[in-house]
Amino acid sequence: MNYPIVIFLNNDNTYRVLIPDFDDLSFNCEDLDHAFSKADANIVKQIRALNSAGKELPIATERENYITRYLDAVLVSQVSITL
């Protein structure tokens, strides 16, 4: 599964990561490498929680859907999750 992530630059030169497919989950990171690894960990955590609750996983939205929606983003990318 490839879930999109949106990365914004904060005023203090840290990054805010948004994961739209999981109820707009967001968190801050020190750098881009940390942003991707933390996004991966957070998505896996959300998937496990949904599976444990017997709920369906959100359908991964196409990355392209967010490029024009978040024009102020530094980066719109995808995280590939393998369970």
Side-chain angles (χ1 to χ4, degrees), residues 16-48:
R16 183 173 63 89
V17 180
L18 173 69
I19 306 174
D21 290 341
F22 288 90
D23 296 325
D24 289 336
L25 172 68
S26 71
F27 50 88
N28 290 314
C29 295
E30 296 293 320
D31 57 45
L32 289 176
D33 287 336
H34 187 227
F36 279 97
S37 65
K38 196 168 177 181
D40 184 83
N42 274 293
I43 292 171
V44 169
K45 182 179 174 181
Q46 293 293 318
I47 289 172
R48 288 186 176 148

